[in-house]
Amino acid sequence: MAGSLRHLRKSPASSYVIATVLWVALILTFLALTPERALSYGDSAFIMSAGFLGLWRWSWGGFHLLRAWAYTRRVFPMIRRRAEADPAVHGRHVAVVVLSWKMGDAMNAAVFTNLFRDILDYAPAGTVVAAISSDQDIAVISHVHRSVDPEGKIRLAFTLQDGTGKRSAMADALAKLRDMGVPPDCPGILMDGDTLVAPGTIRASAPILLHQPRVGALTLDNTPIVQGKVLDREWYRLRMAQRHVYMSSMALSGRVLVLTGRWSMFRTQIMTDANFAANLLEDVLHHPRLGKITMLTGDDKSTWRWVVEQGWDVTYVPDRVIYCLESLPGKGFFADTIGLQKRWFGNMTRGGAKALRLGPRRLGWFAWFALMDQKASMWTPLFGIVFFGIAGIVHDPAFFAIYGLWICLTRTVHSAFVGMIARRWHPVFPALTYYGQVVGAAIKIFVSHNPNVQKWTRQNTGKKAAAGGDRSALPRTDSKVMLLASVVAFVSMVVIVSNVASDGPRFDLRFEDLASELIYGR
């Protein structure tokens, strides 16, 4: 069934209408079930849903939105004007490493056709190293190369992947690039074999990198072209919209927190540094409880951290996109999205732990604070569930309606601002935003207690490590105990701080005039 579905950039127009009607109906249902007192301004029931914790989270999120708006609408356009006016940053040699694992003939033909054309659009010459999985890949890519570049301006070489993971494949390809020799201080690209480069991407990106002497690498906005149903497509589109906002906000400080493996551009002296490839191949995290953890996935975090360690800035180009061909594995929406987030958030946890050790002076204060915030943000989305869940069970089921109404309204506003900045939106975004926050929080809590558990879906990297006798790649008993203890401690903290389990008039939603009751006793 999935194989018959096309890769689409946007969902059908009918899905917008259906999702809008259902979402409005849900809001009206919760509104009808919510007691009038809970809607009164200044009432305790209202304050409970927007206390200090909520004020902090929404202020922090709003701050990112403001920073993203400032970067995309004010700061970056100025950077682009200055970069494009610099004649020294045009027409440089381009070096590219492409990781292509069992992509198929049609995919390889489309990806490399776009890539070769874009290189020739910007540069008089280039070098491409393709890390492929079969001789058939070599035949297809070579044919495309001869068709697009009959004069041979682009040197093409291949390395054969052994299926042990992306890190080893990338290290081999970088070694090949280093042996072939490329000029220093030119644009170099690391990209995946299922990424379609839009025309003019290199021409628009290279000046941003080369004009700013402190910038060592950059990454672009991603537009997912998804094979699957509406919910699959919009889940990917929402993630990319949120990524766009967060990247733009971080770029205002010159420190985005990842160099996306789909497509990122580096100065060639970074890509050809032997230590860059060595760090990528043998990156490890020394955990105080679990000991040495070899990084299997998360190569984009390793490349980013090495660039930052060397003192370079890392930035973001918000006005150019690359197209990522996406499809969920096929086990079902919830199983697939949970599995993918386990890998993504596991990479974030391990990479963030190592990055924090650089300290705020080397990392930058705002980037350091953002990484610290990631540790707290795994718990905060669950505060409302615990509080209102207990209040609904112990005091009044109407608290469930209050919480539902609060979620509907706040996530609608939040997703609308994200959509305004990222210029992409769908009426299902509010529901998916909440799903991502709650499920994502639970996954982050799990991976923070089990940072040794790793898996890359396409090559089953984590499973191979476990099957090979590496028991460190499996969940441990002490991790499970600490996870349970942390959850119990969190629930206890919510109960104690909010006093939600106690009897009191502030939890009685049936009083029409609470102030009169408290002041006059009637």
Side-chain angles (χ1 to χ4, degrees):
M1 178 68 179
S4 65
L5 298 174
R6 296 179 297 161
H7 284 85
L8 298 176
R9 179 177 174 180
K10 293 183 179 180
S11 297
S14 59
S15 69
Y16 286 76
V17 176
I18 294 172
T20 299
V21 171
L22 291 176
W23 190 246
V24 171
L26 184 62
I27 293 175
L28 293 177
T29 299
F30 283 134
L31 185 61
L33 295 173
T34 300
E36 183 178 351
R37 182 196 147 201
L39 301 177
S40 301
Y41 179 78
D43 189 85
S44 59
F46 174 82
I47 295 174
M48 284 185 294
S49 66
F52 175 78
L53 182 64
L55 180 64
W56 159 246
R57 294 312 308 165
W58 286 100
S59 297
W60 179 243
F63 189 45
H64 273 301
L65 289 168
L66 286 173
R67 286 171 57 90
W69 182 88
Y71 182 73
T72 57
R73 304 300 197 269
R74 293 290 184 267
V75 176
F76 183 78
M78 178 180 61
I79 294 174
R80 175 165 293 289
R81 287 193 298 270
R82 292 175 177 175
E84 292 184 345
D86 184 355
V89 299
H90 299 282
R92 302 277 188 93
H93 188 100
V94 179
V96 186
V97 168
V98 187
L99 283 297
S100 180
W101 174 256
K102 296 183 178 180
M103 293 298 174
D105 294 350
M107 181 80 77
N108 280 330
V111 168
F112 282 91
T113 296
N114 283 24
L115 174 62
F116 293 144
R117 287 175 177 170
D118 204 45
I119 292 173
L120 294 176
D121 174 66
Y122 167 76
T127 302
V128 175
V129 178
I132 43 78
S133 54
S134 68
D135 291 337
Q136 178 66 17
D137 292 345
I138 296 177
V140 171
I141 297 168
S142 297
H143 175 73
V144 170
H145 179 225
R146 289 191 298 271
S147 300
V148 177
D149 181 27
E151 298 179 10
K153 296 179 180 179
I154 301 173
R155 295 184 297 170
L156 177 62
F158 298 93
T159 59
L160 187 63
Q161 298 192 50
D162 59 9
T164 58
K166 189 177 177 182
R167 287 177 178 270
S168 60
M170 193 178 295
D172 291 342
L174 287 170
K176 182 71 173 180
L177 181 68
R178 189 165 56 250
D179 292 341
M180 295 176 69
V182 294
D185 204 27
C186 290
I189 299 166
L190 291 178
M191 62 177 284
D192 286 345
D194 55 356
T195 299
L196 292 173
V197 180
T201 297
I202 298 176
R203 179 181 293 275
S205 304
I208 305 299
L209 174 74
L210 301 176
H211 176 72
Q212 302 177 88
R214 291 181 53 85
V215 174
L218 59 78
T219 192
L220 307 182
D221 189 10
N222 289 4
T223 294
I225 303 178
V226 185
Q227 181 188 61
K229 300 178 181 179
V230 169
L231 203 60
D232 304 348
R233 187 173 302 108
E234 298 310 324
W235 182 75
Y236 274 110
R237 291 183 71 225
L238 173 62
R239 288 197 60 83
M240 293 302 104
Q242 292 171 331
R243 171 188 179 274
H244 177 77
V245 170
Y246 197 64
M247 285 282 199
S248 298
S249 172
M250 299 306 301
L252 199 60
S253 299
R255 283 288 192 278
V256 298
L257 296 182
V258 67
L259 283 167
T260 311
R262 291 291 196 179
W263 193 103
S264 290
M265 179 178 282
F266 304 76
R267 293 180 184 268
T268 48
Q269 64 259 44
I270 292 176
M271 284 180 59
T272 55
D273 191 313
N275 292 325
F276 178 74
N279 172 74
L280 181 67
L281 183 61
E282 301 178 359
D283 199 5
V284 297
L285 169 66
H286 295 282
H287 193 275
R289 178 172 58 86
L290 299 172
K292 178 182 176 181
I293 300 175
T294 301
M295 305 282 207
L296 302 179
T297 60
D299 54 278
D300 47 3
K301 288 287 188 181
S302 298
T303 56
W304 165 80
R305 195 186 63 257
W306 195 89
V307 173
V308 173
E309 282 179 342
Q310 306 310 306
W312 296 98
D313 285 347
V314 185
T315 194
Y316 178 65
V317 177
D319 64 349
R320 291 295 183 274
V321 301
I322 48 96
Y323 296 97
C324 311
L325 299 178
E326 304 280 9
S327 61
L328 293 178
K331 299 177 182 178
F333 176 80
F334 295 106
D336 289 340
T337 55
I338 289 172
L340 288 172
Q341 288 179 96
K342 281 184 180 178
R343 174 164 62 88
W344 295 338
F345 294 141
N347 296 338
M348 183 190 77
T349 298
R350 290 181 290 272
K354 288 204 69 174
L356 281 171
R357 295 176 185 177
L358 297 177
R361 292 188 179 276
R362 295 180 66 187
L363 189 60
W365 280 98
F366 189 79
W368 180 84
F369 192 75
L371 287 173
M372 289 295 293
D373 178 72
Q374 289 178 356
K375 293 179 174 293
S377 64
M378 72 179 73
W379 294 101
T380 51
L382 303 181
F383 189 96
I385 292 179
V386 175
F387 175 83
F388 282 97
I390 295 175
I393 294 172
V394 174
H395 300 291
D396 192 324
F399 277 102
F400 294 124
I402 296 173
Y403 183 58
L405 182 62
W406 170 256
I407 291 301
C408 287
L409 296 178
T410 55
R411 272 51 178 187
T412 298
V413 172
H414 180 264
S415 65
F417 278 114
V418 170
M420 180 181 66
I421 293 174
R423 291 174 174 154
R424 65 198 76 163
W425 194 79
H426 191 281
V428 80
F429 274 15
L432 289 176
T433 296
Y434 181 65
Y435 169 76
Q437 289 171 340
V438 173
V439 175
I443 293 172
K444 290 174 187 176
I445 292 170
F446 171 81
V447 298
S448 68
H449 289 81
N450 297 271
N452 56 311
V453 179
Q454 304 173 66
K455 179 183 177 183
W456 186 34
T457 309
R458 301 201 64 208
Q459 294 187 13
N460 290 322
T461 304
K463 286 186 176 180
K464 290 183 178 182
D470 185 5
R471 307 304 296 177
S472 64
L474 298 174
R476 293 181 10 167
T477 301
D478 57 337
S479 297
K480 297 176 182 178
V481 172
M482 292 188 68
L483 173 60
L484 178 61
S486 297
V487 172
V488 171
F490 172 73
V491 173
S492 301
M493 183 272 294
V494 173
V495 173
I496 294 171
V497 170
S498 66
N499 203 25
V500 68
S502 65
D503 290 328
R506 72 190 187 102
F507 291 108
D508 189 347
L509 299 177
R510 304 306 166 182
F511 277 107
E512 293 299 330
D513 190 353
L514 180 63
S516 176
E517 175 71 20
L518 294 178
I519 296 173
Y520 302 108
R522 62 177 186 274

